[in-house]
Amino acid sequence: QVQLVESGGGLVQAGGSLRLSCAASGRTFTTYAMGWFRQAPGKEREFVSAITRSGGMTAYADSVKGRFTTSRDNAKNTVYLQMNSLKPEDTAVYYCAADLRGYGSRLSSSYEYWGQGTQVTVSS
C-alpha cells in the first residue's frame, strides 16, 4: 500500500511559478517510480512527467518540456514538480501517482496508487 498527498497548488499569474510536492508513505519509497498527471475540466487526464526510483531518469510531456522539472528526495519520501513559465493552459488538477513496477510510464493505467490532487489555476 502507498499513500500519496499532494500540496503546493494555488492561483498564479501567467509567467509565474509553483512547486508541487507529493509526500508518500507506506511501502518503501525507493521501490517505485513516480509520475505527475493533470486533468483540466472537460478533458482526459494527461501525462505530465515521471521519474524513476533512483531519480536518475525523468520524462516529460512535450507541452511542459523546458518549463517543468520533476525531482525526488528519497530521504524525505517526497517527489516535486517545479513549474515555471506557467500558462493558462496549465490550469488543471494535478495528481501524483506511484508506479510499483519502477519504470515511470507515460500511461496512467500503469500507476497503482494516486493522490487526491491539487488545483493549479493560472490566470492570464
Side-chain angles (χ1 to χ4, degrees):
Q1 290 281 351
V2 176
Q3 293 79 42
L4 303 172
V5 179
E6 300 99 336
S7 61
L11 174 64
V12 64
Q13 288 189 330
S17 298
L18 282 175
R19 188 177 81 156
L20 305 184
S21 300
C22 173
S25 60
R27 179 171 166 155
T28 302
F29 189 58
T30 53
T31 64
Y32 49 91
M34 294 294 295
W36 287 97
F37 290 78
R38 66 186 182 186
Q39 188 166 18
K43 294 187 177 181
E44 293 187 353
R45 189 170 298 188
E46 65 174 358
F47 171 77
V48 175
S49 70
I51 187 166
T52 53
R53 287 173 289 187
S54 67
M57 293 183 64
T58 56
Y60 298 92
D62 289 343
S63 59
V64 307
K65 199 172 295 183
R67 299 188 298 121
F68 291 11
T69 303
T70 190
S71 61
R72 63 190 293 163
D73 185 337
N74 286 343
K76 295 183 178 180
N77 292 353
T78 301
V79 64
Y80 304 97
L81 184 66
Q82 178 66 45
M83 305 186 294
N84 299 328
S85 303
L86 283 161
K87 305 175 181 180
E89 50 264 44
D90 294 318
T91 295
V93 177
Y94 283 71
Y95 300 88
C96 64
D99 175 1
L100 268 58
R101 300 174 310 154
Y103 302 142
S105 171
R106 294 172 179 260
L107 301 176
S108 60
S109 58
S110 298
Y111 292 79
E112 292 88 350
Y113 296 95
W114 293 80
Q116 82 288 351
T118 186
Q119 176 71 47
V120 172
T121 303
V122 184
S123 63
S124 58

